[in-house]
Each structure stands twice: as structure tokens, then as C-alpha cells.
């Protein structure tokens, strides 16, 4: 029997996915877990924002480092999972395509992991993230690699024999870097991370991406 395909929209899709998200084998998420928090290097006493925090896996690492962890997401399903995973985190519902409901110039560091292919207003997103960081604040921006996203691959999951597809905006690496530069971010350094044998041993179907870049991480700072 062939699978039915549905496109529930991004927010509804993540609401549906939230209860099983952390159990879905996903090479992109596995690569992000290997590198994103290491790039961020959260420290005790810092205020750190996770923009698009999902189920709270990165928030937990931020809190474990002794930092004050704040998470935003527009999916209530994801926020409920994050609340359960990191009971001490401060969480709020917000759309990252709009003005953020946060005080300006207060965060020491900011992480945005695996959200960007869903963003439709990069200029607002980068100017708002810039505004809530303090001077000298660090920004780690991790993205589904544009090379793969622009080839038509998109976030998807299966539930009860239905395949849900969540779409991917066709942003390029230059789109990201140029909009970050326009917003005022400096010290931009972009790195691609490729799928390797270790990842394929963990998630065998990822072999189709072996040797290809699946994750882009940009390190930046507010001067
Ligand atoms: C692939 S998940 C990644 C979650 C988390 N950062 C992680 O690394 O596990 C993408 C998350 O971005 C959120 N998201 C997507 N578009 C958003 C938007 N416009 N505003 C706020 N959150 C958004 C989704 O609800 C979802 O939780």
C-alpha cells in the first residue's frame, strides 16, 4: 500500500512531530548534536537564548553548563516537550519571523539550530537576534545545508502510515551570510560538516549522503 503524503504546514507539523521527534533517527540532528553546542561553548552564569529550541535537547546542555537557558519556539507541542526535558528553562512561544518578545542587549550567547530552512523573513530574524545579544555576544547559527535543501530534500517524518513533509525555503549560504552581515554581525566564519562513516554506522540510511555536506554552522558575534 502506498503512503499518503500530507503537508500540514510548519507549525502544525512540528506540533504533530513533537512527541516522537527525539526518537526519529535523523543524520542532520545527529551531526548538529556533535558540533553545535561545542561551537557555542556555554559558560556558567551566562544568559543563553536557544531560538527555535524544539524539544529542548540543546537547552538541556546549556542549562547543564550552568548558564541561564531561555528557549523560544512557535510550536506549543515542542515547548511542552522542552518544558518536560528542562524544567528550569524559561520558555516562550514566539515566531522567529517577527519581532522577538525579549529585552534588548541582554544575551551573552545565542544558538539557532536547524530552524533556518523554515524561516521566511531572514532580515527580521537576523536583526532581531542581533538586537537581543549584548555587545560582544556570540551567535551560533546551524542550518540544514543549503546544498541539500535546494536539491529538494525537506524535513519529514512518518506517523500512522502518513508521510508528513514540512518544506524547506531555498536559502543559499550567501543569503545567510549576507543577511547576517546586513544585520551587523561580524567575525563570520562558515563551516560545512559532511556525513562520515561514524554517522552511517549510527544511521545506515544516511549512506546516501556519505561525503556530502549536511550541516552548515556559522559562528558570528555582535561587535
Ligand atoms: C528541526 S526542529 C529543531 C529544534 C531544535 N533547535 C533542535 O536542534 O533540536 C525546528 C524547530 O524550529 C521551530 N520553528 C520553525 N519555524 C519557526 C518559526 N518561524 N518561529 C519559531 N519556531 C520555529 C519548530 O517548531 C521546531 O521546533
Amino acid at each position: 500500500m502506498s503512503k499518503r503524503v500530507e503537508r500540514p504546514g510548519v507549525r502544525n507539523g512540528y506540533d504533530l512531530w513533537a512527541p516522537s521527534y527525539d526518537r526519529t533517527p535523523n543524520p542532520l540532528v545527529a551531526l548538529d548534536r556533535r558540533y553545535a553546542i561545542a561551537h557555542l561553548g556555554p559558560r556558567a552564569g551566562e544568559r543563553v537564548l536557544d531560538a527555535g529550541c524544539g524539544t529542548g535537547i540543546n537547552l538541556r546542555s546549556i542549562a547543564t553548563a550552568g548558564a541561564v537557558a531561555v528557549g523560544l519556539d512557535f510550536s506549543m507541542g515542542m515547548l511542552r516537550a522542552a518544558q518536560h526535558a528542562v524544567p528550569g528553562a524559561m520558555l516562550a512561544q514566539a515566531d522567529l519571523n517577527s519581532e522577538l518578545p525579549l529585552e534588548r542587549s541582554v544575551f551573552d550567547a545565542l544558538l539557532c539550530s536547524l530552524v533556518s530552512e523554515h524561516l521566511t523573513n531572514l532580515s527580521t530574524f537576523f536583526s532581531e537576534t542581533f538586537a537581543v545579544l549584548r555587545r560582544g555576544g556570540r551567535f551560533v547559527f546551524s542550518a540544514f545545508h543549503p546544498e541539500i535543501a535546494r536539491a529538494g530534500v525537506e524535513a519529514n517524518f512518518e506517523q500512522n502510515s502518513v508521510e508528513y513533509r514540512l518544506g524547506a525555503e531555498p536559502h543559499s549560504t550567501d543569503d545567510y551570510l549576507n543577511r547576517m552581515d546586513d544585520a551587523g554581525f561580524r567575525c563570520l566564519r562558515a563551516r560545512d560538516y559532511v556525513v562520515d562513516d561514524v554517522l552511517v554506522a549510527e544511521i545506515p540510511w544516511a549512506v546516501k549522503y556519505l561525503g556530502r555536506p549536511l550541516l552548515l554552522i556559522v559562528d558570528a558575534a555582535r561587535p
Side-chain angles (χ1 to χ4, degrees), residues 14 21 33 52-54 73-75 78 94-97 113-115:
Y14 279 105
Y21 182 85
R33 301 300 176 246
C53 62
D73 206 287
F74 72 174
S75 154
M78 286 296 200
D95 185 342
L96 300 175
N97 290 306
S113 261
L114 312 182
V115 182

Side-chain angles (χ1 to χ4, degrees), residues 128-182:
E128 283 295 298
T129 45
F130 184 87
V132 300
L133 272 177
R134 67 163 174 77
R135 285 176 191 278
R138 322 186 290 289
F139 182 27
V140 173
F141 174 77
S142 116
F144 181 31
H145 201 284
E147 190 180 297
I148 311 280
R150 284 157 71 97
V153 182
E154 56 187 296
N156 65 90
F157 65 101
E158 213 177 300
Q159 241 172 44
N160 304 325
S161 304
V162 178
E163 182 185 329
Y164 293 94
R165 295 188 188 162
L166 305 190
E169 300 294 324
H171 304 307
S172 66
T173 300
D174 279 349
D175 290 337
Y176 291 139
L177 293 175
N178 290 336
R179 295 295 81 74
M180 290 173 93
D181 186 66
D182 293 345

